[in-house]
Amino acid sequence: MKSLIAPIWLASFFENDNALRTRLKAAIARLSLSHPEPKVRLAAVSGMLERLQPELGEMATIRSEQLANVPSGDLSPAHWLTLAKRINAIFRDAPETAGVAVAHGTATLEETAYFLDLTVSSSKPVVLVGAQRAASFFDSDGPRKLLNAVRVAV
């Protein structure tokens, strides 16, 4: 269902008027039912990188890997450990690596960032980036944010 932030603010702003609050909640429910969320698909990193050429190639030599393709709410400490081990291995085995950019869902992005801060041994940048609009949306912001993450990492 479509989530709406403004009506929640309005409902709390008018918290002393129970009749108005009831009408707002009914209107929110009607809006949610009449505007279902589009189906969201998980994006492959390689597809996002292809959309960013040639600008990305002019900035850095990119090597991509897909460690997982699950909603970020389904990530577990086992996923975090796999990611941390892989990032440490990249920095150890390819010392010329300037940094790592990780495309990540927003549901658990901050938990992953905290875990990586504790477990990645390099001082080189590790940049996590999440999109607000899913890859299935025509105006997805993921590719642009991934490009900016690479800019920060290099």
Side-chain angles (χ1 to χ4, degrees):
M1 292 307 196
K2 193 167 197 147
S3 58
L4 302 171
I5 295 171
I8 294 168
W9 173 79
L10 287 172
S12 62
F13 183 78
F14 294 107
E15 64 187 35
N16 294 331
D17 187 341
N18 286 332
L20 178 59
R21 190 170 12 161
T22 301
R23 288 193 307 272
L24 282 172
K25 286 181 182 178
I28 292 167
R30 282 193 304 276
L31 280 171
S32 296
L33 291 174
S34 63
H35 295 87
E37 194 74 35
K39 284 197 172 201
V40 173
R41 66 176 166 77
L42 299 173
V45 171
S46 59
M48 282 195 283
L49 293 174
E50 287 172 14
R51 290 174 57 186
L52 298 173
Q53 296 301 334
E55 188 175 357
L56 191 59
E58 295 168 359
M59 185 183 323
T61 301
I62 305 295
R63 188 179 76 218
S64 71
E65 299 179 33
Q66 185 94 28
L67 293 182
N69 196 8
V70 298
S72 69
D74 293 343
L75 291 176
S76 68
H79 289 102
W80 298 335
L81 190 56
T82 299
L83 180 59
K85 286 180 179 179
R86 185 62 195 125
I87 292 170
N88 281 320
I90 289 169
F91 287 136
R92 182 187 64 244
D93 299 340
E96 70 280 4
T97 301
V100 172
V102 178
H104 196 291
T106 57
T108 58
L109 188 129
E110 66 190 61
E111 291 84 355
T112 301
Y114 181 68
F115 183 83
L116 293 177
D117 184 52
L118 296 174
T119 58
V120 172
S121 57
S122 176
S123 61
K124 294 180 180 180
V126 176
V127 182
L128 274 72
V129 63
Q132 294 301 305
R133 302 197 49 84
S136 57
F137 290 18
F138 76 93
D139 61 344
S140 173
D141 58 340
R144 181 181 67 254
K145 289 184 175 184
L146 184 58
L147 178 66
N148 289 331
V150 171
R151 284 186 178 124
V152 171
V154 297

